[in-house]
Amino acid sequence: MKAINKMFIYMVKQITQEMMMIMLAIAPVLAGIFFRLGIPLLEDKVLIHYGLEGILGPYYEYFSWLLAMLTGMLFAFVGGLVVLGEIDDNVAKYIIVTPVGMRGYLFSRILMPALISGVVTLVCVPIFSLTQIGPVKLIVMTISTMLSGIVTAMLVVAISTNKVEGMAIGKLSGLFGVTFFVPLVISGIIKYVFFLFPMFWIGEWTLSGGYVKLVIALIQFVLWITILFWRFEKKFR
C-alpha cells in the first residue's frame, strides 16, 4: 500500500506541473460556483425580464447531477491522461512489472482519483446545489458518477494509443454520462436504445424510482469496467 501511495503522490506532482491538468481538477468547483450563483442570476435578470420565470426551477436538481458527473469524470480523466503519458514515455510497462503490478498501478492512477472525486462530490453538491438533495439520492449520485468516471478513464486508456488521442476520446466518452438525461428528454420505447448505458438506468431511477433499476446500473458498471480492464491488459502482453 505504501508503494501505491507513493505512486499516487508522484501522479499528483505530475498534475501540478501541467496547467491543463490543474484546470481539469478545479473545473468541478468552478462549475459549482457558476451553477450556484449564475443560474439564479440568469433566471432573475434574463428569464423573468422576458416573462419566462419558473422555467429552470423544475430542473434545479439536474444541475446537481451535472456537477457530480463533471466531478467524477474529470478527476478520473486526469488519472487516465497521466497513464497515457506514462505509456508514451514507456514508464507504465516498467511500473507494472514491479511488485505493485497492474492492479496496483490502476488503483493509484484511476481508482484513487475516483475515490477522491466521490469525497469532493459529497462535499460540493450540498454546498452548490440549488435544491435540497436527500441522503439516499446523494449517495446514489456520488457512487454512480464515481463509477461513471472510472469507466470514462478506462475508455480513454483502453482505446487511445497516445495522450493526444486520449483528449479526443475523453470528450466523446463524456457522452457515457450524458445518457443519464435521455429519460428526461426522450419518452416512449425509443429511449431504450440507450439501455446498455448504466447512467441511463440511473436517470430512469430519478424519474420513477425502483431499486431494480439501480441493480441493473450496478451490474452494467461492473461489466463495463471488467471489459475495459481486459482491453487495457492486452496493451502490456
Side-chain angles (χ1 to χ4, degrees):
M1 194 64 188
K2 287 184 179 179
I4 292 175
N5 289 335
K6 287 180 180 179
M7 289 174 60
F8 177 73
I9 292 170
Y10 174 71
M11 183 184 72
V12 172
K13 290 180 179 179
Q14 286 180 284
I15 292 171
T16 58
Q17 293 172 359
E18 291 191 39
M19 183 56 64
M20 180 190 70
M21 297 281 204
I22 295 173
M23 290 305 299
L24 285 173
I26 66 174
V29 175
L30 298 177
I33 294 172
F34 172 76
F35 291 157
R36 187 67 182 87
L37 302 178
I39 298 302
L41 185 64
L42 171 67
E43 197 164 38
D44 182 48
K45 300 298 183 183
V46 179
L47 298 181
I48 291 179
H49 176 75
Y50 290 102
L52 301 174
E53 64 274 9
I55 287 181
L56 294 179
Y59 302 101
Y60 276 176
E61 179 185 314
Y62 298 112
F63 287 106
S64 297
W65 278 98
L66 183 56
L67 175 60
M69 286 179 207
L70 285 172
T71 305
M73 290 185 176
L74 291 181
F75 271 65
F77 179 51
V78 168
L81 288 181
V82 170
V83 172
L84 287 176
E86 290 173 338
I87 291 174
D88 287 347
D89 297 334
N90 293 318
V91 174
K93 63 182 180 182
Y94 294 110
I95 296 175
I96 286 173
V97 297
T98 66
V100 172
M102 184 176 295
R103 285 176 173 79
Y105 178 64
L106 288 180
F107 183 86
S108 68
R109 295 296 187 262
I110 304 295
L111 187 56
M112 287 186 75
L115 291 172
I116 292 172
S117 78
V119 175
V120 174
T121 298
L122 284 172
V123 173
C124 286
V125 167
I127 292 175
F128 297 122
S129 179
L130 295 168
T131 185
Q132 187 174 359
I133 304 293
V136 173
K137 188 163 285 187
L138 180 60
I139 291 171
V140 172
M141 182 184 293
T142 301
I143 294 174
S144 62
T145 55
M146 184 175 67
L147 291 173
S148 188
I150 292 173
V151 172
T152 300
M154 292 295 290
L155 274 170
V156 169
V157 173
I159 297 175
S160 307
T161 56
N162 55 58
K163 204 169 182 179
V164 176
E165 263 187 36
M167 289 295 296
I169 292 174
K171 295 173 184 177
L172 291 175
S173 62
L175 297 174
F176 182 91
V178 173
T179 56
F180 168 85
F181 297 101
V182 168
L184 309 180
V185 298
I186 301 177
S187 59
I189 196 170
I190 187 66
K191 67 182 178 181
Y192 290 103
V193 169
F194 300 91
F195 78 99
L196 290 177
F197 295 90
M199 288 306 293
F200 166 80
W201 293 103
I202 299 296
E204 281 279 291
W205 174 78
T206 62
L207 286 178
S208 55
Y211 287 102
V212 172
K213 295 169 186 174
L214 295 182
V215 173
I216 294 172
L218 180 59
I219 292 172
Q220 288 187 340
F221 272 125
V222 172
L223 290 174
W224 272 88
I225 292 171
T226 302
I227 291 169
L228 290 171
F229 178 74
W230 287 341
R231 185 173 178 85
F232 178 78
E233 277 189 314
K234 289 181 180 180
K235 285 194 169 187
F236 298 93
R237 288 177 182 173

